[in-house]
Amino acid sequence: MPPVISLGGLLIQTPRLALLVFAVLMIWLINWSTRRWFGREGTLGAHVERSFIIGVLGARIVYVAQNFHVYRDHLLSAFYVWQTGYAVWGGFVFALGYLGWATWRRRLALPELRLIGAIGGPLSAFYIASLATLGQFAAADQLHIGSQLPHYGFVTIDGRQANLAMLRGGPAIVNIWATWCLPCREEMPLLSRTYAKDGRKDFALVGVDLAEPASRVQAFLGQRPVSYPIWTDPAGSRKSPSTTLFEHTGGFAVPTTIFVGRGGIIKAIYVGKLTATTLAVNLQKIQGS
């Protein structure tokens, strides 16, 4: 299952879509079962809806707590619930905690709690299994967590030969971008500041332009310089290596950023504009590898 589904220009993260399907199906089955077995509508569906809301909030709270040293300097981003960053196990703990509280307060009867368990148990197992398949069952040449960074050749902006294999020795970031991409432009100052501050000694960072002429990229960088190296496709190459790399990450959207640990092993692939927190969290994955 791919980590992201692209509908036109809209990117939908697969875990969120799976959670929405899980929630809708769970609530519908609970309401249907309540009518069938108890002969009434009841408030059971409302309790399940509240448990989902509390679970989602709990998953975010636990994730922020786990990475608080990152969020400490960007507290406002902890409330950006549309961004990635949820601890699934924390969500289940909070949701079950609410159901336990409702039972203790006698707002839920034991037969109703058993019904929730009978329906929610298998659905929860299916949801967790679906998350475990992210990036699996893809084409053999598609990159995913655990893959090794491939051997593709590029040229630097000043015409020197370069290859992704050069980045296999240590922590590295490969940012696939384009001059026409607004989110790419928006994240470039963050990447430039981070690399200027920490990158030269702690990790490598390369921006790989997606299949544009070197002259266009040079003109763009003349107006928007960055502190990290930019690579482009070799002139006259039969097949664009940047396009091949992009396709092998899934080809969902730019920017796409590959986080590479020691030995050239891919630790994360992030689709979309990076923020300070998402960059810091993913940097931890490669610097601790």
Side-chain angles (χ1 to χ4, degrees):
M1 185 167 64
V4 176
I5 296 174
S6 177
L7 299 177
L10 179 65
L11 293 178
I12 302 175
Q13 293 176 1
T14 307
R16 296 186 185 183
L17 181 61
L19 178 62
L20 178 62
V21 172
F22 172 47
V24 170
L25 186 58
M26 175 82 173
I27 292 168
W28 181 82
L29 285 174
I30 288 292
N31 286 329
W32 179 84
S33 301
T34 302
R35 289 193 300 270
R36 179 175 177 86
W37 300 110
F38 297 101
R40 54 184 172 82
E41 287 287 342
T43 59
L44 195 53
H47 282 296
V48 173
E49 291 174 14
R50 291 189 200 108
S51 71
F52 270 110
I53 294 171
I54 291 171
V56 170
L57 292 175
R60 182 64 173 177
I61 290 169
V62 170
Y63 182 85
V64 170
Q66 287 178 320
N67 298 279
F68 185 71
H69 57 288
V70 172
Y71 283 90
R72 181 173 50 208
D73 298 327
H74 310 278
L75 282 178
L76 191 59
S77 63
F79 299 96
Y80 296 168
V81 294
W82 57 88
Q83 293 181 355
T84 57
Y86 290 85
V88 174
W89 69 267
F92 277 103
V93 168
F94 271 70
L96 292 173
Y98 167 76
L99 293 175
W101 174 85
T103 305
W104 175 64
R105 297 289 295 176
R106 298 187 179 179
R107 298 181 182 183
L108 268 179
L110 281 177
E112 293 175 322
L113 187 63
R114 293 192 192 101
L115 178 61
I116 293 175
I119 295 174
L123 284 179
S124 298
F126 182 77
Y127 171 66
I128 293 172
S130 71
L131 295 183
T133 65
L134 286 177
Q136 304 299 317
F137 312 114
D141 58 356
Q142 185 161 330
L143 300 176
H144 53 80
I145 295 173
S147 298
Q148 188 170 59
L149 194 65
H151 186 283
Y152 295 146
F154 297 92
V155 292
T156 65
I157 205 65
D158 55 3
R160 292 178 289 111
Q161 296 295 313
N163 197 294
L164 289 179
M166 298 164 55
L167 306 176
R168 291 180 179 175
I173 300 173
V174 180
N175 178 251
I176 305 173
W177 69 289
T179 62
W180 47 261
C181 165
L182 180 58
C184 301
R185 295 184 182 195
E186 292 174 342
E187 73 176 6
M188 289 179 91
L190 169 66
L191 289 169
S192 191
R193 288 194 306 271
T194 304
Y195 184 70
K197 179 184 176 184
D198 302 315
R200 289 184 173 89
K201 64 179 186 301
D202 293 336
F203 61 89
L205 169 59
V206 170
V208 173
D209 176 79
L210 183 59
E212 293 184 286
S215 58
R216 183 183 303 169
V217 178
Q218 287 172 336
F220 175 87
L221 293 174
Q223 298 178 342
R224 297 169 179 260
V226 294
S227 64
Y228 53 93
I230 299 294
W231 295 356
T232 63
D233 289 335
S237 53
R238 286 191 300 174
K239 185 171 182 182
S240 159
S242 64
T243 301
T244 302
L245 176 64
F246 179 60
E247 289 173 349
H248 287 177
T249 64
F252 300 111
V254 285
T256 291
T257 307
I258 307 170
F259 292 86
V260 186
R262 289 180 173 82
I265 303 302
I266 294 173
K267 298 295 183 179
I269 299 176
Y270 188 87
V271 180
K273 186 179 78 171
L274 290 163
T275 65
T277 49
T278 53
L279 177 58
V281 168
N282 283 292
L283 270 173
Q284 277 189 323
K285 295 178 182 178
I286 63 175
Q287 290 177 325
S289 62

